[in-house]
Amino acid sequence: MWLKPDPCLLDAYIFPSDFNNKGAGFCGQDHLVFKPTQNVLLNKAYTVSCSLSQLCSFTSLSINDDIVRPSTLVAKTYIADNTHTKTVKCIVKTIVGSSAKTMKVIVLYPPQNLSCSPKKRLLFENDYLEISAKVSSNPASEIFVRGRNDKKYLPNKVFVEGSTSKAVFKIKSTPNMTGLYECVAVWNRKKSTTTSKSFNISVIYPPTNITCVAKKVFALENEYLEFTSETSSNPLSEVVLIGNNNKTYAPYYTKVDGSTLNAFFKMNASLSMTGWYKCNALWKFGNSVISSSPLHVTVRYPPKNISCASTKVLVLENEYLEFTCETSSNPLSEIILFGTNNKTYFPYYTKMDGLTLKAFFKMNARLNMTGWYTCNALWKFGNSNITSNPLHITVGSKYY
């Protein structure tokens, strides 16, 4: 008798006797009901079950040949491991052959083995910071770079190969970018993150400006002159103060905040220190020097002595009495002449030579002008007055 094909079979035929007597054919692939969990989390348990959709002739039912049962239902529990993808096969065997159905079980896992590699760690200003990052996860993760002050940088290019994500970053360097950097992989399925080891990036740049501030621009002799300077560069610059006559002063104290250097100067004010001052930043890496705007400082000091001289100490009536007074101070003093009976005379002419002032007096001699004369210097800034040694003048009569 001819064999009649059974639509339930892939590779088998139904014997007429079984078909007529049992009303059913042999089990095939289409009879299998496969119920695996396709996406499972790493290290979690999952169960695969295999059953028959209807009664048909079979000898055994198995999963991956691990469990063989003469039953219409078979199940097995697995632990999702780091193989990431597992192929599970459900097999039904009959007396004339076997049929199978397969399915891949995909293991979902968070970011693993995150690498983060900068091409260069030492950069010049306006150079490019290039970073390559790679991470494995399923599904793929997003990668970004976290820099100084938690600034977030997104990749320029992203490549995904299977469960591996690759990201390429290209960031233009600026002076404020020196600091620690790290790569971060974000797994959106569970909103979990993984962070790489951090690395330091240093951006080299010369000083572009420097400030120079004096605590006081007017100081009394023997007081302190104090200056503060600030500049920024990487590596740090050497800061000096250039004073009057190009004299160089080194700071007594410096303070570093990142790539910013503050330098402090302090010295006793002396008479010769009046003049222009500036702060210089010396960047040895590139032999670059910049200077601050000049700053004028005045050291004030009162007159310490005053001289008094006359062309004649004996004159005749109606001749001219002439005196010259000289003193030095900063600011300049006012000079007056005290004569007999404390009469006050003011100069008819003054001459300045730096911080030295000369005052000239000239008056007609009278008989009552015989007596002692002194030059007085009045320093209004500190209400300081000094007097010269007295000088005696005798006025004689023409008719004696």
Side-chain angles (χ1 to χ4, degrees):
M1 183 177 290
W2 294 97
L3 297 176
K4 184 177 181 180
D6 183 350
C8 294
L9 293 175
L10 290 178
D11 301 313
Y13 291 90
I14 299 174
F15 287 98
S17 59
D18 283 338
F19 183 82
N20 294 330
N21 296 333
K22 297 181 180 180
F26 293 117
C27 291
Q29 186 185 46
D30 293 340
H31 291 82
L32 296 176
V33 178
F34 200 20
K35 294 182 178 179
T37 303
Q38 285 185 282
N39 297 320
V40 296
L41 290 174
L42 183 66
N43 298 323
K44 298 293 184 181
Y46 64 97
T47 300
V48 175
S49 65
C50 185
S51 62
L52 296 171
S53 63
Q54 66 186 66
L55 183 63
C56 52
S57 299
F58 71 98
T59 58
S60 67
L61 191 61
S62 64
I63 296 177
N64 284 357
D65 289 324
D66 294 334
I67 297 178
V68 179
R69 291 178 183 171
S71 171
T72 58
L73 174 65
V74 66
K76 185 174 181 182
T77 300
Y78 296 93
I79 299 295
D81 57 23
N82 58 6
T83 55
H84 303 156
T85 302
K86 186 175 185 68
T87 300
V88 181
K89 182 183 292 186
C90 184
I91 305 168
V92 60
K93 293 184 179 180
T94 70
I95 60 175
V96 294
S98 64
S99 293
K101 183 179 285 187
T102 60
M103 183 171 286
K104 292 180 184 278
V105 175
I106 299 172
V107 178
L108 306 179
Y109 60 96
Q112 297 177 347
N113 305 319
L114 174 60
S115 65
C116 192
S117 305
K119 189 175 182 179
K120 293 187 294 184
R121 300 193 181 202
L122 192 63
L123 306 168
F124 285 95
E125 186 180 5
N126 295 321
D127 202 350
Y128 281 97
L129 170 60
E130 297 181 61
I131 300 173
S132 298
K134 183 171 69 173
V135 70
S136 177
S137 68
N138 189 24
S141 300
E142 295 179 6
I143 306 174
F144 69 87
V145 168
R146 183 159 53 207
R148 184 182 176 187
N149 298 324
D150 289 331
K151 186 172 181 179
K152 182 178 178 180
Y153 300 92
L154 298 178
N156 296 81
K157 293 181 180 179
V158 177
F159 308 93
V160 179
E161 299 173 0
S163 58
T164 300
S165 298
K166 297 179 181 179
V168 177
F169 301 82
K170 192 172 183 180
I171 307 163
K172 193 170 185 179
S173 61
T174 58
N176 61 354
M177 281 176 59
T178 294
L180 289 175
Y181 287 74
E182 61 189 4
C183 292
V184 180
V186 181
W187 197 48
N188 289 328
R189 185 174 182 88
K190 289 288 185 179
K191 296 298 181 184
S192 65
T193 61
T194 299
T195 304
S196 70
K197 290 183 178 179
S198 59
F199 52 89
N200 189 68
I201 294 296
S202 186
V203 180
I204 295 175
Y205 61 96
T208 54
N209 58 67
I210 182 171
T211 61
C212 198
V213 179
K215 189 174 182 180
K216 295 189 294 185
V217 293
F218 295 100
L220 292 175
E221 184 182 12
N222 294 322
E223 284 186 342
Y224 282 112
L225 280 179
E226 297 181 66
F227 296 84
T228 303
S229 178
E230 181 176 298
T231 188
S232 180
S233 65
N234 188 24
L236 291 172
S237 303
E238 178 187 353
V239 177
V240 295
L241 178 69
I242 307 297
N244 197 29
N245 298 320
N246 285 324
K247 186 173 181 179
T248 301
Y249 301 90
Y252 75 92
Y253 172 66
T254 57
K255 181 181 177 183
V256 178
D257 181 11
S259 57
T260 299
L261 175 70
N262 289 277
F264 302 89
F265 303 85
K266 189 175 184 179
M267 50 272 196
N268 276 324
S270 63
L271 303 184
S272 61
M273 291 175 69
T274 293
W276 292 97
Y277 288 77
K278 64 181 180 180
C279 294
N280 278 11
L282 290 71
W283 194 54
K284 294 183 178 179
F285 190 88
N287 295 320
S288 174
V289 180
I290 63 167
S291 300
S292 68
S293 299
L295 179 69
H296 193 271
V297 172
T298 301
V299 179
R300 289 171 167 167
Y301 60 94
K304 295 182 178 179
N305 54 66
I306 184 169
S307 64
C308 187
S310 177
T311 54
K312 298 178 184 179
V313 294
L314 179 61
V315 295
L316 293 176
E317 185 181 9
N318 291 325
E319 287 185 344
Y320 282 113
L321 267 178
E322 294 183 70
F323 294 88
T324 302
C325 302
E326 182 176 330
T327 189
S328 180
S329 66
N330 189 21
L332 293 172
S333 303
E334 179 185 358
I335 299 177
I336 57 175
L337 179 70
F338 284 111
T340 185
N341 298 321
N342 284 326
K343 186 172 181 180
T344 302
Y345 300 91
F346 294 94
Y348 72 93
Y349 172 66
T350 57
K351 180 181 178 182
M352 289 178 289
D353 183 9
L355 299 176
T356 298
L357 178 67
K358 288 184 177 181
F360 301 90
F361 301 84
K362 189 175 184 181
M363 50 273 196
N364 280 326
R366 299 285 185 266
L367 293 177
N368 62 352
M369 292 173 64
T370 295
W372 294 97
Y373 289 78
T374 58
C375 291
N376 278 25
L378 288 72
W379 196 55
K380 293 182 179 180
F381 187 85
N383 295 319
S384 176
N385 300 332
I386 62 167
T387 303
S388 69
N389 292 325
L391 180 67
H392 193 272
I393 299 295
T394 301
V395 179
S397 173
K398 289 184 178 181
Y399 308 103
Y400 177 76

